[in-house]
Amino acid sequence: MKYQRGDKIILLHSEEEGEIIDFINDKMVMVEVKGVKFPVFMDQIDFPYFKRFSAKGKKDINKPRHYVDQVKKEKANAQYNVTSGMWLAFLPVFDKDVFDEDIVEYFKIYLVNQTPDDVKFSYHLRFMGKADFDISNEIPAFSDFYLHDVPLEDLNDSPRFDFEFSLKTPDKTKAEICNASYKIKPKQLFQKIAELRQKQEASFSYQMYDTYPDRALVEDAGAGSLSKAGYKVYDASKFRKHTEPPRSLIDLHIEKLTDDWQRMGNYEKLSMQLKTFEKYYELAVLHHQPQLIVIHGVGTGKLRDEIHDILRLKKEVKSFVNQYHPSFGYGATEIYFQY
């Protein structure tokens, strides 16, 4: 191997000198520069004497020195593995334990806006239903917003991240408010950390919404006055002809949703199952269904608990129950709506 622990190196982009303190894998090393430890790729460092030799001993005392914190910032969202939509991103910050092993000390929490909309938001972090952190602000289109740091040990208490979004510039065709929540459990968190190490990724993210939702469709009652007020009024009966038909029963077993489920990680499976649930829940509400049965299976109960957490926040839900069913055992939840 070209390098060894203790070797003196130089960062090619900033010309700062440091020392290799550990090896992460065959492509990355952990370095220390002026007391700051961070990972770098091997192709971004070199031995100092190679740099000095190539310079042929010439020194330019007028050349400004660049430091790590002066390196030009990459374009927004470069460190996040996200697509379009509004995302909640978790960036782990590592430290060394007594055995010189890398451990996650805390997470930097970001809101990532990959939509063309400037959005207002209110954010609440809750533990056991009690508020721990609150902030309200704005996030421009295609940008990110640093929320705060959360210690790893706090995330063992199954926190819930609640958001209320609204467009900075009101649009009569769009919903006045969009609510979204995310709850992560300790086992799920450590699985995500393990996946980050394996895939050598910098963060993991959860999608709050894909596109900002449209305003709820208005029925015929009062349509004339609403139309005069400037609202676009739809004929709900015609609109429903062009939507996917609702279902009174949905099966969320992953093999029913995709053929590639064996290649997916647990987090990806759970995300797909929850998105499918949200889709058919919204269709059930749109079509004013009185009831919906969700088959989630028994398993560890993770999917069931996530669905129940979502249902507790839905105003259309009159009640829901997970009791023995002759067809599904305890693997299904029955939802009853009120309108």
Side-chain angles (χ1 to χ4, degrees):
M1 185 177 289
K2 181 178 179 180
Y3 300 104
Q4 296 181 355
R5 287 186 180 86
D7 282 347
K8 301 296 182 182
I9 55 89
I10 186 169
L11 301 177
L12 297 180
H13 65 272
S14 65
E15 298 186 4
E16 290 183 275
E17 294 189 13
E19 179 180 336
I20 294 177
I21 59 175
D22 202 0
F23 290 87
I24 299 175
N25 51 47
D26 59 351
K27 295 182 180 179
M28 297 186 70
V29 295
M30 183 69 69
V31 301
E32 181 174 354
V33 177
K34 296 182 179 179
V36 180
K37 301 175 183 178
F38 53 93
V40 296
F41 286 96
M42 291 186 186
D43 60 1
Q44 297 176 353
I45 62 175
D46 206 341
F47 291 111
Y49 51 83
F50 284 159
K51 179 68 178 178
R52 294 167 189 155
F53 178 80
S54 62
K56 297 182 180 180
K58 295 182 179 179
K59 295 182 180 179
D60 185 356
I61 59 175
N62 296 319
K63 184 178 180 180
R65 188 77 177 273
H66 296 284
Y67 298 92
V68 171
D69 58 354
Q70 296 174 335
V71 177
K72 185 178 180 181
K73 185 178 179 181
E74 296 181 359
K75 64 179 181 179
N77 308 320
Q79 68 269 45
Y80 310 119
N81 184 20
V82 298
T83 55
S84 63
M86 186 72 72
W87 297 79
L88 181 64
F90 297 75
L91 278 72
V93 177
F94 291 87
D95 198 0
K96 295 286 185 180
D97 61 12
V98 294
F99 302 103
D100 203 35
E101 296 289 336
D102 288 326
I103 58 171
V104 176
E105 184 177 5
Y106 61 92
F107 282 88
K108 301 184 79 65
I109 311 298
Y110 286 82
L111 188 62
V112 184
N113 183 5
Q114 283 291 82
T115 75
D117 304 315
D118 296 334
V119 177
K120 297 180 180 179
F121 70 89
S122 292
Y123 162 65
H124 311 278
L125 173 62
R126 292 184 170 90
F127 294 99
M128 307 300 291
K130 296 183 179 180
D132 182 81
F133 182 86
D134 302 276
I135 187 174
S136 296
N137 214 304
E138 300 175 358
I139 179 169
F142 301 107
S143 66
D144 53 23
F145 186 98
Y146 167 69
L147 295 170
H148 63 139
D149 294 344
V150 179
L152 176 64
E153 56 267 26
D154 287 355
L155 292 177
N156 291 329
D157 296 331
S158 300
R160 195 179 77 202
F161 304 84
D162 293 333
F163 287 88
E164 181 180 281
F165 299 101
S166 62
L167 295 178
K168 183 178 179 180
T169 303
D171 184 338
K172 293 179 180 180
T173 67
K174 298 294 183 178
E176 184 176 352
I177 294 175
C178 172
N179 292 301
S181 295
Y182 176 54
K183 184 176 181 180
I184 190 168
K185 297 183 178 179
K187 184 177 179 181
Q188 180 183 353
L189 175 65
F190 287 108
Q191 286 176 341
K192 292 305 301 177
I193 294 175
E195 290 178 11
L196 290 181
R197 293 179 184 273
Q198 182 180 4
K199 298 179 181 180
Q200 298 183 18
E201 294 179 343
S203 67
F204 68 90
S205 306
Y206 179 81
Q207 190 176 61
M208 297 285 98
Y209 61 80
D210 184 10
T211 57
Y212 192 86
D214 293 330
R215 182 180 293 273
L217 297 175
V218 182
E219 299 290 349
D220 290 339
S225 59
L226 288 172
S227 180
K228 291 179 182 179
Y231 290 94
K232 188 174 182 180
V233 181
Y234 299 88
D235 184 337
S237 60
K238 292 181 180 180
F239 176 81
R240 290 172 183 169
K241 292 179 182 179
H242 302 286
T243 62
E244 185 175 340
R247 299 181 185 179
S248 59
L249 183 149
I250 55 173
D251 189 343
L252 297 180
H253 284 93
I254 193 63
E255 61 271 17
K256 301 287 187 180
L257 306 181
T258 177
D259 294 331
D260 296 329
W261 62 272
Q262 291 178 318
R263 300 179 182 179
M264 300 171 65
N266 291 333
Y267 178 77
E268 294 174 298
K269 293 177 184 177
L270 182 63
S271 295
M272 175 175 285
Q273 290 169 316
L274 290 175
K275 286 182 180 179
T276 303
F277 162 71
E278 290 275 15
K279 171 184 175 181
Y280 287 103
Y281 174 92
E282 295 297 337
L283 283 172
V285 172
L286 174 64
H287 289 264
H288 284 221
Q289 283 184 197
Q291 180 185 3
L292 176 65
I293 297 177
V294 180
I295 304 174
H296 45 63
V298 181
T300 62
K302 180 184 296 185
L303 178 58
R304 177 201 62 205
D305 292 345
E306 293 287 344
I307 290 173
H308 288 185
D309 285 341
I310 293 172
L311 292 175
R312 291 187 183 98
L313 300 173
K314 299 291 188 180
K315 64 181 180 180
E316 304 91 358
V317 175
K318 180 178 181 181
S319 63
F320 61 92
V321 61
N322 175 219
Q323 61 186 10
Y324 183 81
H325 190 285
S327 299
F328 318 115
Y330 289 97
T333 292
E334 298 178 70
I335 307 168
Y336 300 91
F337 296 100
Q338 59 183 4
Y339 301 102

